[in-house]
Amino acid sequence: NHFCIDIASKQDLNKISNLDLDAIVHCAAQTDVRKSVEDPTADLFANGLGTLNLVEFAAANAVKNFVYINSGGAIYGTEELPLSEKSPIAPSSPYGLTKFLGEEYVRILCSKYGIQWSSLALSNVYGDIVKNNKGVIYEFAKKISLNEVPSIFGERVTRDFIYIDDVVNAIEIALLNPTFCRVNISSNTETSIEDIFSIVARELKTSIQPVYEASRFGEILRSRLDNSLAKECLDWEPCVSITEGVAKSLSNFS
């Protein structure tokens, strides 16, 4: 069954109260850093109140396992890379703040209600751009297809890219083996946005060159997450390289 509901509304959540649920994988969120800066109240309702409502819903409906999808790229500070689960929490955007707030609701209330839980702190997830319709790979491909010049916001900006299939694998493992803590799900590799553009340009066989613009408020400049805890407690590690992943992401694009 498929239901379209607003998790910030308890009334909406009641629409699925008749379902017999063993587990919840909580992916619902306001995920745009720029939107969180422009409208932090809406971000708080979606990511803070929404998560609180969903954990309380889980408790009221005898859900046994709760997997929270967190943001590893936005909750940490800018300490020496790679960042581990023990790195200081110092978000630079309302989005990062509310994703951490959501995790704390999960930690505290799942412990109170006896619900098994995991928080998977994802790095920059990417996948099929036709299905996703957002993200830097999508933006580059869209501009190139229109014969327009793509923009890179900030020089020497890096991200830790993780392919969606690797993320799904981690979620499936966490459903069977709850971590009761935050675990980084990442490639543990720092990849520049320039390198991403080069891979996209090669795949799409274009000679277009990007232009550089100023970095945007609230967005971090560099990212790399240590995934050693995931290997230890979930026996998980990523399988898809960035070159293979970008090619897969563009395979349905025309």
Side-chain angles (χ1 to χ4, degrees), residues 12-254:
D12 251 20
L13 279 172
N14 286 336
K15 295 177 182 177
I16 59 171
S17 60
N18 63 330
L19 299 179
D20 184 17
L21 302 176
D22 291 322
I24 289 176
V25 179
H26 175 24
C27 306
Q30 190 300 111
T31 60
D32 192 309
V33 169
R34 282 168 285 169
K35 286 184 179 179
S36 79
V37 172
E38 295 166 2
D39 191 352
T41 302
D43 185 80
L44 176 61
F45 270 84
N47 298 345
L49 181 60
T51 300
L52 172 59
N53 286 345
L54 202 53
V55 176
E56 291 187 326
F57 171 86
N61 290 273
V63 174
K64 301 178 181 66
N65 194 347
F66 196 102
V67 178
Y68 177 64
I69 303 304
N70 203 347
S71 171
I75 65 171
Y76 298 116
T78 56
E79 300 295 310
E80 183 176 350
L81 302 181
L83 299 166
S84 76
E85 292 81 358
K86 295 181 179 179
S87 295
I89 300 297
S92 56
S93 68
Y95 166 67
L97 177 63
T98 56
K99 290 302 291 183
F100 178 65
L101 172 64
E103 179 184 86
E104 290 294 274
Y105 279 134
V106 171
R107 178 184 65 83
I108 294 168
L109 296 179
C110 283
S111 298
K112 174 184 177 182
Y113 296 125
I115 301 172
Q116 297 177 318
W117 68 278
S118 306
S119 174
L120 304 184
L122 311 184
S123 58
N124 288 76
V125 184
Y126 69 105
D128 188 328
I129 64 170
V130 175
K131 295 178 180 178
N132 196 27
N133 278 337
K134 64 180 179 179
V136 66
I137 298 171
Y138 167 76
E139 294 296 336
F140 286 159
K142 181 181 176 182
K143 288 285 189 179
I144 290 170
S145 70
L146 296 172
N147 202 34
E148 296 178 357
V149 177
S151 295
I152 294 178
F153 295 92
E155 294 189 34
R156 294 180 294 278
V157 173
T158 67
R159 292 292 182 265
D160 183 331
F161 289 92
I162 183 76
Y163 191 67
I164 184 62
D165 289 0
D166 286 326
V167 173
V168 171
N169 183 34
I171 293 171
E172 290 174 341
I173 297 171
L175 283 168
L176 298 174
N177 300 281
T179 63
F180 298 95
C181 65
R182 182 190 328 122
V183 178
N184 291 338
I185 303 299
S186 70
S187 67
N188 196 12
T189 302
E190 189 177 5
T191 303
S192 72
I193 303 302
E194 290 95 334
D195 285 346
I196 294 295
F197 178 82
S198 295
I199 298 171
V200 172
R202 185 168 64 247
E203 288 292 324
L204 298 182
K205 297 179 174 57
T206 182
S207 59
I208 294 175
Q209 294 298 310
V211 296
Y212 291 87
E213 299 186 34
S215 58
R216 294 174 287 199
F217 180 84
E219 294 190 347
I220 59 174
L221 295 180
R222 297 176 60 203
S223 179
R224 179 186 170 191
L225 302 182
D226 184 352
N227 61 17
S228 57
L229 184 60
K231 295 179 181 179
E232 177 185 334
C233 69
L234 294 175
D235 192 24
W236 172 93
E237 57 183 332
C239 297
V240 181
S241 71
I242 187 64
T243 302
E244 179 187 0
V246 172
K248 285 175 174 284
S249 299
L250 296 169
S251 60
N252 295 320
F253 181 74
S254 59

